[in-house]
Each structure stands twice: as structure tokens, then as C-alpha cells.
Amino acid sequence: MRSVTVFGATGSIGESTFDLLMRQGGRAAYRTRALTGGRNVARLAEQARALQAEIAVTAYDECLSDLREALAGSGIEAAAGAEALAEAADRPADWVMSGIVGAAALVPGFRALQRGATLALANKESLVTAGPLIMQTARDNGARILPVDSEHSAIFQALLSEDMQAVERIIITASGGAFRDWPMDRLAEATVAEASTHPNWAMGQRITIDSASMFNKALELIETHEFFGIAPEKIEVLVHPESLVHALVGFRDGGMIGHLGAPDMRHAIGYALNWPDRAHLPVDRLDLAAVGSLTFRAPDPARYPALRLAREVMETGGLAGAAFNAAKEVALDAFISGRIGFLDMAGVVETVLDRMVGQGALGKGALSLDMILEGDREARRVARAVVEKTGRT
Ligand code: NDP
């Protein structure tokens, strides 16, 4: 029987993973080592009971008593906090979903790779923050990473049995997010509610706002570079409002292989769950005649400064990815809590990167996990100070 662990089980990726596990046989087919969540302990307990998990872990100590109460009589262990999350990763699950949002996913994913697990990686922040270390840890321990971001799953599938030497370019597509057709002069006043709606995908709030600002695509540019080991100048972004072509790979013979599918994360998750097989998945089938046409356009650099910043980060290397992601997380929190405007987010991130470059704080060469975590903390500290200066109140 296969064994699984799901980090971030109560989130958007986690719920889709749970849905597939249940459809594919639930507790009769999978031994669930651990499920983790954050504040939604009632849902976490429901999922843990349904899959008869060995342990349920909340990220927050103050949620532990509620989790214990919700699990009473089930025989399922309960735990809380960052160390408990890391220990959950040590439990011997064959397949581990990394579905926590933000850099908090880094340590659990790292620990799962250290014991040679297959890591289904939805959490792009792990590769942005610690790409070389994550990839090296997987190689050193015979672990496998299967990308779950829809673009990266698409690239992975387009590259099956292809020679990387023959790859000329990779194109990742972007819907353009909530504001793709807004006039630029309205963006400064965009509200959190407006930024939290996505034209095509149903996702967690943070990634939805990151889609509107294109920070999500910026993270994905770096993720593509780190995961596929491809030079930054060979990676392109195209705005594709229909979100049906997820990525394209161009080869040196001039041909391209693209991957199409309905905008439903259960495709990429189900692909990673069943790899190397393809299982029947409960996603809509495309009716291309009904779709009629697919459109593409180049992203406007003035509208999406995050893409330029991502390219600078790839050029800088060292701790630039960790600083970029950490500053982005702080800026996003500040936008969500109404302390800065939508357009201020990119300004905060750029200022943090400039300061840290100026201080020589981004380093070069191989980085340990501790160095990366320290870089992340330092970037958050600088970002909070920058937000303070930028803030509306
Ligand atoms: P959600 O916000 O919907 O879910 C996040 C999950 O992580 C929840 O289970 C949440 O718990 C938990 N969580 C939140 N904060 C912490 C923390 N500090 N420590 C531990 N756990 C925490 O996010 P998504 O599912 O949208 O995204 C998850 C990851 O997948 C992100 O990295 C995102 O970029 C990536 N991704 C998501 C896609 C999507 O379609 N949603 C598509 C491609 C990639 P709780 O809710 O109980 O508080």
C-alpha cells in the first residue's frame, strides 16, 4: 500500500489532493502518515478522520487544543508548531505533497527529500528560496521531485524522453490575473478584494493576488530556471488569457511541444500522484471547437515590474531568491492588511533587494539551509522597515 503525507492539506492544493486521494480509494488505497494545516483545524480533523491519518499537525501552537478536541476518540495523534511539521516530514511516506503556502514549506520539503521521498512540489517558494540546495538534496538522497505547478508539470510532460540539449526555449503562460485589462492609472487604488479574484483559476488568496501582480509568474520564472536547470534567457513569459496552454517547450529543430488542459489543479496533482502512470482524472475535457481561438501576447514590462525583478534575482544568485521571496511575502501581507497599495508591493521588493545587494548581504556560491533561513529572516526584517516607510498609516 502506498503511503502519503500532505502538507497544507486544508488549503486549495491540499483540498484538491485530498479529493483525489478519496476518489482513488481513500484509506483503503493509501496509508496516510501525516496531514498538516494551519488555522482550519476543524477541516484538518475531518480530513484526518476520513483518511485515518497517523498524525495531524497544525502549524500554530495556539490551535493545538482545538485540534485535539476535534480528533478526540479517533486514535489520531495531534501536534503543533514548526518542529512538529518537520518531524511529520520524517515519517516514512513514499509520496509527500508540499502544499503549504510561502517559505514555511521549505524545511518540511527539505526533510522529506533528505530521506529519499518523492516530493510533489506545489510550493514554488521552496525552489525560489533554496533552488540549488533543494535540487542537490534530492540528488544526494535518491529522492524525486515532481513539479505540481501547472506550468512546470506541463514542461515536465513536454520534456518526457527529450534531450535537454535540444531545448532552445521554454515558454510559461500567464493569465494576466485580475487586472490584466485595467488601465494602469487605476492599479494604484486596486483593493484586496479586487486583487483576490482570478479570471480562470480557483486558488488560495495569496497566489491569486500574486497572479494579479505577476509576482506569481516571477516566482515561476525562477522555479523554471532552478528545476529544469535552464538559462534565464531561454525562459519566456506569454500572457494567455484563456489559461488553457500551460507551457510550451521549443526545440532546436524549430518545433514546439505544448501542454493543454482545463484550468484545474487536479490535473497536475493527479499526474504527480500517479506518475509514471496516467490515471483517469475528474477534470473537464477541453472542447477546442467551442473555445474557438487561443490568444497570446507579450507581457507589458511597465505593468508587471515583478518579471524584471525575477530576472535580476536569477542574475544575482546567492541569497537573492530567498530575499526576493521573503520581501514579497512581507509586501503581500502589508497589502492584504491595507498598509500599502497594490503597486507599492514591487517597490518594497525592489528596495529590499537593492539594500541587500548594497550591503553585500546576498552572498554567492553554495548555501546551507541555515544560511538561507538567516537570509530569509534578514530580508523580512529589511522589508518590514521598508513597509513602515512606505505605509499609508
Ligand atoms: P492556501 O492558502 O489555499 O493553503 C495554504 C495551506 O498552508 C493551508 O493548509 C494553510 O492552513 C497552510 N498554512 C498557511 N500558513 C502556514 C504556515 N505558516 N505554516 C504551515 N502551514 C501553513 O494556498 P494554496 O493551496 O493556494 O497554495 C499552496 C502552495 O501551492 C503555494 O506555494 C502556491 O504558490 C502553490 N500553488 C498553488 C496553486 C493553486 O491552485 N492554489 C497552483 C500552483 C501552485 P490553514 O488554511 O488551515 O490555515
Side-chain angles (χ1 to χ4, degrees), residues 14-101:
E15 285 287 6
S16 293
T17 307
F18 176 76
D19 177 72
L20 290 173
L21 292 172
M22 293 302 284
R23 287 170 188 266
Q24 293 191 183
R27 65 168 89 169
Y30 298 97
R31 178 165 182 179
T32 302
R33 301 287 188 186
L35 295 182
T36 87
R39 302 206 176 277
N40 193 354
V41 291
R43 180 62 185 148
L44 180 62
E46 261 173 31
Q47 294 175 328
R49 283 175 185 273
L51 285 169
Q52 203 51 46
E54 291 170 13
I55 188 169
V57 184
T58 162
Y60 305 107
D61 292 334
E62 64 274 22
C63 297
L64 181 57
S65 58
D66 287 347
L67 179 61
R68 282 213 174 102
E69 206 172 299
L71 288 172
S74 66
I76 298 168
E77 273 181 76
E83 191 45 42
L85 283 175
E87 282 169 12
D90 296 342
R91 294 190 174 228
D94 310 321
W95 188 89
V96 176
M97 166 53 74
S98 174
I100 291 175
V101 65

Side-chain angles (χ1 to χ4, degrees), residues 360-375:
L362 296 179
K364 280 266 175 221
L367 298 165
S368 67
L369 183 61
D370 284 346
M371 291 159 83
I372 291 164
L373 294 174
E374 181 48 36

Side-chain angles (χ1 to χ4, degrees), residues 244-266:
L244 299 179
V245 179
H246 303 311
L248 298 134
V249 178
F251 296 92
R252 64 183 168 209
D253 61 2
M256 296 172 96
I257 297 182
H259 179 272
L260 285 80
D264 183 333
M265 283 310 293
R266 290 177 304 176

Side-chain angles (χ1 to χ4, degrees), residues 8 10-13 38-40 59 99 122-125 149 203-204 265:
T10 51
S12 167
I13 288 288
R39 302 206 176 277
N40 193 354
N123 178 271
K124 59 199 82 186
E125 296 91 333
D149 225 344
M203 306 185 287
M265 283 310 293

